[in-house]
Amino acid sequence: MSNQKSPLIFPPWLDAIRPVVGAVAFGVVPVYLVLLVWFGASPKTTDVGYQPEQPVPYSHAVHAGELGIDCRYCHSTVEESAHASIPPTSTCMNCHSAIHTESEKLEPVRASYESGLPVHWIRVHDLPDYAYFNHSAHVRRGVGCVSCHGRIDTMEVVQQDQPLSMGWCLDCHRNPAPNLRPLDKITDMTWKAGSEEEQRQLQESLGVEASEDCSTCHR
Amino acid sequence: MSSMKHDDTSVPEYWRSLDELADSDDFRTFVENEFPASADQMLTPASRRNFLKLMGASMALAGMTACRWPSEEILPFSERPEGFVPGTPRHFATAMQISGVASGVVVSSYDGRPVKIEGNELHPDSLGSTGLLAQASLLELYDPDRSDHVCRKGTDGVETSEWAAFDAFADEHFAAQAANGGRELRVLAGADGSPTLQRMRRHFAERFPAAAWVEYEAISRDNIRQGGRLAFGRDLRPHWALDHASVIVSFDDDFLAQHPNAVRYARDFVAGRKTDDDHHDAFNRLYVVEGCHTMTGSVADRRIPVDTHSIAAYVGCVAAHLFLEAGLQLPAGVGSLRQTLEGFRSHALYASIDASLIVDLMAHRGASLLAVGPGQPAEIHALVGVLNMALGNIGKTLTFTAESDANRPHHVDAIAGLVEEMQSGQVDTLVILEGNPLYDAPADLNFASALEKVGTVIRAGRYVDETSAVADWHLPLAHYLETWGDARGYRGTYSVTQPLIDPLRNGRSAIEILATLVGEATGGYDAVKSTFAQQIGDEAWRGALHDGLVRDSELATTQPGQLADGWVSSLSSFATAAEAGYRVVFLTDARVRDGRFANNGWLQEVPDSVTKLTWDNAALVGVATAKAIGVKHGQMLRVEHGGHSLELPVYILPGQAPETIGVALGYGRRHGGQIATDAGFDAYPLRTREAMAWAAVQVQPMAGSFKLATTQNHWAIDPIGTDTTEERVPILVHEIDIKDLHGGHDDHGEGGGGHGSHEVNLWQPHEYEGYKWGMTIDLNDCTGCNVCIVACQSENNIPVVGRDEVIRGREMHWIRVDRYFQGDADAPSISFQPVTCHHCENAPCEQVCPVAATVHDAEGLNVMVYNRCIGTRYCANNCPYKVRRFNYFNNHLDQSPMETMIYNPQVSKRSRGVMEKCTFCTQRIAAAKITAGNEDRKIRDGEVVPACAQACPTRAITFGDLNDEGSRVLAKQKDPRAYAMLEELNVRPRLRYLSRVRNPGHSEAGHGAGEA
């Protein structure tokens, strides 16, 4: 090329690669940005499969599965309160003051019991702050633990089994029958629903009219 | 602008991978700001390239951090207390004391932090309602401006100290004081009815026999006590049975706002104003004679504006009319009164006394009540005592109890005596418990200079305020929700006050501090329990804690005794005409009181009942007076008295008496928190010993003006608009004279019946078969006290926006109380109308939301879904009642963890850009539905009580299920007085109003109170 200073800012060879630049700018870049936000900015903590590591390697598979402890033994306020509530350390110590008293895995639990300070559990099932979910209303009306939390009794480490999104909630609220069970089967992880007719009858006998009003959850 | 530099240590990896974006200091600052408002300053004109780099970088970086959803932790108890269910509130009964009188409250607590205060249904002074100050006291608990450490004034200025240091100092210092019997020790405290504090005071008197305990209250009711001393020779406390009174006359007594027992008296007052068939003939009549337009005056059936300084003469003239003309018998013991009253015949006011007042009083003997405000002189109180006795009211509408601290000197005399002792160097140690004398002591005492002569000043208070700023020791006082204590109600009801939370700001209670001075090592709990055991009995302790009071612990009534007449001759001084000239009347603001609550944002922002002023006080001046002085609304006015002057803006308030300028106390603070020091103008410098209630002043208009933040009259309106407003107000606020209300029916057609619009509906109306929520507001019961506003604010996490935003009309209150003037500008009547979201079945707001963020639910509630709202504000535009509030700012930013403890977890916090409005307390409805559902039943009537309804002293607001045949709200909506506001718009609101009924009677004789 000539050594004179060109009045043009952009060198001529840019013309040649203009179609490629166009494709990247209008094709690749938007797709990249969308994927960047989708995967980079969306939180992992509300996804199915979210399985945070807990301070104590508590295994539901052992306690709820093998030993058959009812969910409500620990999550004792599920029928009275909005929260099922993580049990206090004293509940663990009900057994573990006599069982596996020297186990290393239970060290944080013993430390908590001695000091009076809580164990820092990581929350698995989380909803946005503006959505108010009430456990007692569901559990008392025939929604089983497994419907939303999955087969906890087979989980070594708890993971989120269902999306817990508003659309997912509405799917049940619009048609609750398939997800209802008799009140004595709430914590039964293996109970299966009956025929459509049985489901319909069950819904009627439980008196379930699942509200689709926004005010049900949004306050 | 420096060239881009590489800085290896501080730039995160991410940046290095993009084109060498280094971080200069400018860039770091830039990224920290969400809005790069300062971008221009950082860029030189030639670096467009840099600008693009910065913009690109910040957009990418800022987005990431905002989208992260933090993983949350759950922290259960190590050992969960028995009966504790996480997420459900617990309720504890306690009591709040103001100037020695307690009111019972029940506080809701989530996870150990109190979030809502309600009234205690069992408490006779509360009956489940609360006053304004009790509702707002919660905010003070979480106030970051509260002092949190002991301060000590050393040689180098004020330094932080600790309780241990004070305890050590006190040990030594007070032992030395005790050595000479406490001769040079004085305690200055406010009124306190706590039995434990009284017990501590006895120990104090035992340890320091020569010390003196001085009680001072800036807002004092001692003139009433003094009146009793003059008339009966005893210290008496009057008690009213307003529900038995057919004629109530208030001479300058704003009792519905200011009386210590106002909540109960408001309920009793409206009990005598029911219009249903059972009560129709017994409708009472309230006369109010006052100089300033007050809340009580607004509710009056007949309001007579008389200059405050002439009201004494008015009372004398009324007495003269009754005893000399109407034939009322003078009681025994005050025969000399007849002669003195003759002197009132020649007074200018004598001829203009409201004739119906005299007629009504004579016609309803034994069923009337005369009240005088605490600002009026003691002799007038004595005279009214005589009148009440002569009219046969004592024992029927008026009873007395004996004050426990008989012969205590008058507050003003007490503090004057103390200052004299301080000036002459007799006081070595002064302990100030709570009061703020450097701010609110009478100005001519010059407390500040007297304080310099005191050796050691120890001040216990919740804020480092004007007095603590000069004290040698400042001790942080705990809030009543943080400590053990006890208190007595107005009638003597014994309450134990229990803490809801440990002291958040390292405070101690007055009882504990006093125990330290007395040398007793006792904590609050032990002291209170021990007093209880002595006075009531241990076995009642748990019951008292549960109930919030000891049942039947009211003091026994006492007969007042024989009348004495030594004071009668001094009455003649009131018979002479007062000097012409303006007086500044020192008003007690219902919100900040004497200034102690000035740092409370809720109270500063809740509008004054009558003026609708927020954040400031003003010189309240009548229409004619303003013209005479030559001032406009908002113009600065200079007021001078006794060598002190005050400059403050004018607020033209129709109904002010001609020479009366009302100025509220409690503003213009110099220390005491960010909010307190920003609000208003200090009137205390004008207040001197001889002029505690009003002061003669010189006035002078000034050049400047001040933008007053009022929640009504946001925007000036032209004369055409004013006329139209006047035409329309009677349609919005229905008022009816009782004589037009025949058998409960309103024949005039304006009030009534709720005929329902005859418009055709565009949509198929919805059938509500389940619950059908509705509300009524009975304008006849509403006194305009505004407690519903603060209750709603507390329940629903409503932010405080500040003065500037209120001026722009952006206050966030979900319920507002509109105030309308009617009639003659010099003597208008006032009507109040609380307005909330009407939850229209045909809601105009729902129809215009582009994103369906506001929808209707199956029970009739207009629901607001905050996370869906994108802030178009079209809904607010379309709302005919203008009840929708928009969050122009993120009002919950930058809050310390302690400040965030106040939020009700059952209600979302709204962010910027989101519309909000009254939800009929949908969280309470949801809670009731869940509880009822869990118990397999329907919600009972009265189970769902919105915050506003629960707080209202007169129970003006009723809420419930319109599909429930027996519900109170259905009965009220069917009441002939019921109407819907702006019914013709066919919005079909669920909120109905019930017409206000007034009973002014006729000016000619013949019609007594209560007759149709």
Side-chain angles (χ1 to χ4, degrees), chain B residues 245-259:
Chain B
S246 302
V247 181
I248 303 159
V249 184
S250 156
F251 297 107
D252 192 33
D253 193 2
D254 187 12
F255 65 90
L256 287 175
Q258 302 302 339
H259 197 284

Side-chain angles (χ1 to χ4, degrees), chain A residues 1-210:
Chain A
M1 293 291 155
S2 101
N3 279 348
Q4 284 174 323
K5 259 226 163 105
S6 170
L8 304 171
I9 299 169
F10 297 104
W13 55 263
L14 271 185
D15 269 340
I17 66 166
R18 216 175 53 183
V20 179
V21 172
V24 171
F26 294 106
V28 176
V29 168
V31 172
Y32 171 73
L33 285 176
V34 167
L35 292 176
L36 183 71
V37 172
W38 190 326
F39 292 111
S42 56
K44 289 196 303 291
T45 52
T46 53
D47 287 346
V48 174
Y50 177 52
Q51 192 175 41
E53 195 185 313
Q54 300 289 348
V56 176
Y58 174 77
S59 166
H60 277 90
V62 167
H63 293 78
E66 273 176 55
L67 297 174
I69 301 176
D70 189 272
C71 312
R72 287 167 294 201
Y73 179 78
C74 295
H75 301 282
S76 51
T77 60
V78 70
E79 283 167 340
E80 295 160 58
S81 162
H83 305 294
S85 77
I86 302 293
T89 314
S90 49
T91 304
C92 308
M93 296 306 283
N94 282 347
C95 292
H96 285 291
S97 48
I99 300 171
H100 293 317
T101 53
E102 301 298 322
S103 165
E104 211 179 276
K105 295 184 194 170
L106 284 162
E107 189 46 48
V109 176
R110 287 193 297 272
S112 158
Y113 192 65
E114 242 120 79
S115 67
L117 296 173
V119 176
H120 288 237
W121 301 100
I122 309 295
R123 191 176 180 141
V124 181
H125 303 91
D126 199 8
L127 290 180
D129 286 345
Y130 47 76
Y132 288 86
F133 173 78
N134 187 297
H135 271 93
S136 67
H138 290 78
V139 163
R140 283 201 193 232
R141 269 326 170 292
V143 181
C145 311
V146 67
S147 307
C148 308
H149 294 290
R151 290 299 304 270
I152 296 272
D153 61 332
T154 60
M155 295 180 191
E156 285 292 334
V157 183
V158 173
Q159 62 173 12
Q160 183 172 324
D161 187 71
Q162 299 289 329
L164 304 182
S165 62
M166 178 169 146
W168 173 85
C169 293
L170 278 176
D171 283 339
C172 181
H173 272 247
R174 287 177 176 144
N175 182 20
N179 297 301
L180 296 174
R181 57 185 62 208
L183 293 178
D184 55 345
K185 294 277 183 265
I186 295 293
T187 55
D188 188 335
M189 294 267 142
T190 52
W191 187 89
K192 290 280 175 273
S195 67
E196 259 188 55
E197 179 54 30
E198 284 171 352
Q199 286 173 17
R200 197 194 58 75
Q201 276 179 1
L202 183 60
Q203 179 176 358
E204 218 179 289
S205 72
L206 287 169
V208 168
E209 287 167 20

